[in-house]
Amino acid sequence: MSTTVEHAGGIADHIHPEPQGFIRRYVFSLDHKIIGIQYLITGFVFLVLAGLLAEVIRTQLLHANGGFVSNDTYNEVYTMHGSAMVWLVIIPLITGGFGNIIMPLQIGARDVAFPWLNMLSFWIFPVAGLMLFSSFLIGAPVAGWTEYPPMSLQAGPGTSMWAAAIFLVGVSSTLTGINFVVTMFQMRAPGMTFTRMPLFCWAQLATAPLLMIATTALAAALAALFMERQFGVPFFDPTKGGSPLMWQHMFWFYSHPAVYIMILPAFGMISEIIPTFSRKPIFGYKMIAFSSMAIALAGMMVWAHHMFTSGLAPYLQLPFMILTFTIAIPTGVKIFSWVATLWGGKIHYTTSMLFALGFLALFTLGGITGVFLAAVPFDLHVHGTYFVVAHFHYVLVGGSLMGVFAGMYYYFPKMTGRLMSEKLGKWHFWLFFIGFNGTFLPQHWLGMLGMPRRVPVYDPQFQFWNDVSTFGSYVMTFSILLFFINVLVSIRNGKKSGPNPWGARTLEWQIPSPPHYYNFKNIPTVYGLPYDFSQPLPYKGLEEELTDSPVHVGAH
Ligand code: HEM
Ligand SMILES: [Cu+2]
């Protein structure tokens, strides 16, 4: 007897035709898996470019008198480094990349809700990225990734290019957010209730509204900046009745939630990897799921903690300080639950697990200095110094980027059917871990000692620790080179992985590696949570997945 399979949102099972030809299959693809890989490739290309800019910064700071680049070029370089790393590297890799590849598979769907929109969202991204980097040709922006007016109003034409490029990237991520929310509400497999949805999906579900809501505030600010620069409409110029503070409010109303856009999916990735390599059910499933939502919600209410020294009304400092402190609670819930999952587990120290454990240690350090910075008295002392640079690199490199690496070693077999080299992977991890701490740990006390950020030359008393920091960054960069060699070599020569090399239990591991373009032969039915290794897999309808039988669209 055939039954019509309906997804959670009552959508009947359907499938788009198999793409024909190279262009439709790999360039203008509608397949979420291919689009996800396109995001990863493009994001990693921008990581190389933005990483090289970071090395220009570090090489300039090797000597107190600088001398590697001019002061103007230095301003361009750190502005572009920060802008590219946030908007062209971490956000696309962790939402458009991994979100696209994993989420539809984990919920038992054949694709996202709007494949065309998905393809459009992707193609806006490289175009915007090229626009941003081409601003170097006309004089790149110089007022930092925060582009505070009035300086951003006075700078050269590259700043308008920056505003247009970031506006476009924002459109791409907003459309991705819409696609992901509709997909998770409408396309879950039968029986996949929200409290049976894997934690990576919960993290994407918490992130998507931030992509949709916070990004629109940035879009409005960028449009205003562009119009003031190009047509003289006074928004931010105080001599024309505008308000520079308004830019800061609008910019941070987006950019603080943006840090959660960059970290929440990494939390989700870690929540998948730790139970798999501890061979234990995740501790506190519901608490971890809901803490993602709590972080996203509270994260929308703390933006002015970036403005404690901006002349913000003092009576506003206290509520923003306390609200920021509260975010430590749901974050702590996650860290506690990961540690409780590890406790008594049979730990498999794969490279992916090492990066997950590195994430746990380094992100926790970054989180703690975040609480320091939320305290107004402390922030007044270190705002604008290298302490702040150290803090956000611990959360964005020690956190997000480590999460990306953990995800690459974990999901490379699912994407390619081959394993990355564990030997090269362990070299990558340890050199990265040592190089990273060598680069950013000393920056905490450089900041405490008063070294300002965004300076091309500095007081010679800071020379020694700057040299340590620079050499640390060379080690880190070398380790990332090993990573890229590993990826390129393993694509062709990596050991065949089979469908599930890690013995993981979420849906994406129950189908071939790489999956067929239609994902599932039969849309499975889900009976429970996947994380308990002592229980049989909570699915029905997967029996044919690893056989040669044909796909069954719409019926069992
Ligand atoms: C991979 C190695 C990296 C190194 C060695 C590095 C190094 C640096 C340094 C030294 C600065 C301070 C420049 C100054 O104030 O003069 C900086 C700024 C910055 N970095 Fe990184 N960074 C790296 C990766 C990242 C990543 C992955 C992100 C992720 C989002 C990131 C985001 C930023 C931002 C937003 C700024 C502020 C730029 C500004 O002041 O406008 N960095 N980086
Ligand atoms: Cu913030």
Side-chain angles (χ1 to χ4, degrees):
M1 183 189 73
S2 78
T3 57
T4 307
V5 173
E6 286 191 355
H7 288 273
I11 294 187
D13 186 22
H14 65 282
I15 194 169
H16 44 73
E18 180 157 18
Q20 303 304 321
F22 180 83
I23 297 291
R24 287 315 309 264
R25 195 186 277 268
Y26 294 114
V27 183
F28 297 113
S29 170
L30 293 174
D31 183 336
H32 70 97
K33 302 178 290 298
I34 302 292
I35 293 174
I37 291 173
Q38 289 174 320
Y39 270 105
L40 291 184
I41 294 171
T42 315
F44 280 128
V45 169
F46 286 127
L47 173 66
V48 171
L49 296 176
L52 289 174
L53 291 175
E55 289 307 10
V56 172
I57 295 171
R58 289 292 357 146
T59 306
Q60 169 77 7
L61 299 172
L62 207 47
H63 300 285
N65 305 329
F68 185 61
V69 293
S70 73
N71 293 359
D72 288 343
T73 303
Y74 186 81
N75 289 340
E76 291 184 4
V77 168
Y78 69 69
T79 301
M80 293 294 282
H81 162 76
S83 303
M85 281 296 191
V86 170
W87 285 299
L88 302 181
V89 178
I90 300 291
I91 295 180
L93 284 176
I94 219 150
T95 57
F98 286 115
N100 250 311
I101 297 167
I102 303 162
M103 182 269 288
L105 295 176
Q106 283 200 331
I107 63 171
R110 293 195 191 281
D111 210 306
V112 294
F114 311 117
W116 278 96
L117 197 69
N118 204 16
M119 180 179 75
L120 174 70
S121 311
F122 167 70
W123 277 106
I124 294 174
F125 164 39
V127 172
L130 284 177
M131 263 176 82
L132 184 69
F133 273 90
S134 63
S135 70
F136 268 120
L137 304 174
I138 53 172
V142 288
W145 82 288
T146 52
E147 286 299 301
Y148 283 7
M151 193 172 172
S152 56
L153 293 170
Q154 297 148 359
T159 301
S160 295
M161 185 76 102
W162 174 90
I166 306 299
F167 184 94
L168 272 184
V169 143
V171 171
S172 163
S173 52
T174 304
L175 296 178
T176 302
I178 295 169
N179 223 332
F180 282 11
V181 166
V182 177
T183 304
M184 283 184 273
F185 271 82
Q186 300 284 354
M187 308 209 28
R188 282 166 289 118
M192 171 79 71
T193 57
F194 277 111
T195 48
R196 288 177 180 161
M197 203 168 64
L199 289 166
F200 180 78
C201 294
W202 269 100
Q204 292 288 349
L205 189 62
T207 306
L210 301 179
L211 288 172
M212 293 155 58
I213 301 166
T215 314
T216 49
L218 178 73
L222 291 166
L225 184 74
F226 188 88
M227 283 198 284
E228 182 152 2
R229 285 181 48 84
Q230 300 306 121
F231 312 114
V233 186
F235 287 99
F236 307 119
D237 183 346
T239 64
K240 296 183 189 147
S243 159
L245 268 192
M246 181 167 76
W247 166 269
Q248 295 188 27
H249 279 293
M250 293 172 85
F251 179 85
W252 287 114
F253 186 80
Y254 161 79
S255 295
H256 185 84
V259 302
Y260 295 118
I261 292 172
M262 289 188 272
I263 202 69
L264 278 166
F267 286 158
M269 189 67 83
I270 302 305
S271 295
E272 298 295 341
I273 293 171
I274 286 185
T276 298
F277 295 121
S278 308
R279 284 291 182 267
K280 265 186 67 186
I282 188 90
F283 181 94
Y285 165 84
K286 280 195 179 144
M287 287 303 282
I288 293 183
F290 300 153
S291 68
S292 293
M293 305 314 271
I295 290 173
L297 186 65
M300 292 286 293
M301 300 183 234
V302 296
W303 74 91
H305 65 216
H306 293 272
M307 298 165 63
F308 286 155
T309 64
S310 70
L312 180 78
Y315 62 80
L316 280 178
Q317 292 176 335
L318 189 63
F320 278 106
M321 174 170 89
I322 294 169
L323 277 169
T324 308
F325 286 157
T326 62
I327 298 182
I329 300 165
T331 313
V333 164
K334 285 183 187 293
I335 293 167
F336 176 79
S337 300
W338 291 324
V339 172
T341 307
L342 289 165
W343 192 266
K346 280 198 263 355
I347 314 291
H348 293 63
Y349 290 100
T350 60
T351 307
S352 175
M353 185 58 159
L354 285 175
F355 273 104
L357 297 173
F359 172 101
L360 195 49
L362 299 179
F363 174 79
T364 305
L365 280 180
I368 290 169
T369 55
V371 176
F372 287 17
L373 287 164
V376 174
F378 184 85
D379 186 63
L380 295 182
H381 173 63
V382 295
H383 184 82
T385 75
Y386 261 89
F387 189 93
V388 177
V389 176
H391 158 69
F392 67 69
H393 283 94
Y394 264 79
V395 284
L396 295 176
V397 182
S400 307
L401 190 58
M402 291 274 269
V404 165
F405 290 138
M408 273 304 286
Y409 286 97
Y410 191 62
Y411 279 110
F412 187 84
K414 189 47 64 181
M415 292 185 253
T416 64
R418 292 178 184 272
L419 292 163
M420 290 176 71
S421 153
E422 279 291 308
K423 193 161 174 237
L424 213 48
K426 295 210 163 95
W427 274 101
H428 170 206
F429 172 75
W430 285 111
L431 288 174
F432 187 90
F433 192 82
I434 294 164
F436 169 85
N437 285 298
T439 309
F440 295 109
L441 203 54
Q443 293 182 3
H444 288 96
W445 48 87
L446 282 170
M448 291 291 285
L449 292 170
M451 182 177 170
R453 59 188 286 196
R454 295 176 171 169
V455 290
V457 293
Y458 53 85
D459 186 315
Q461 66 164 308
F462 302 130
Q463 172 105 31
F464 174 75
W465 287 115
N466 268 289
D467 291 352
V468 172
S469 180
T470 296
F471 285 111
S473 78
Y474 292 160
V475 174
M476 195 169 43
T477 297
F478 176 70
S479 78
I480 298 175
L481 180 66
L482 292 183
F483 165 74
F484 285 120
I485 293 170
N486 198 344
V487 168
L488 295 173
V489 170
S490 306
I491 286 176
R492 286 204 173 289
N493 307 326
K495 208 169 112 234
K496 287 253 161 63
S497 65
N500 188 4
W502 318 125
R505 296 170 52 88
T506 37
L507 270 174
E508 73 274 25
W509 296 108
Q510 314 315 322
I511 56 177
S513 294
H516 299 292
Y517 84 92
Y518 49 75
N519 294 356
F520 299 91
K521 293 233 157 73
N522 298 294
I523 296 296
T525 304
V526 177
Y527 292 103
L529 265 181
Y531 298 109
D532 191 343
F533 285 81
S534 67
Q535 299 298 316
L537 286 171
Y539 314 119
K540 195 186 84 180
L542 292 171
E543 298 74 19
E544 296 174 43
E545 290 305 333
L546 304 177
T547 68
D548 294 334
S549 68
V551 58
H552 303 285
V553 177
H556 271 299

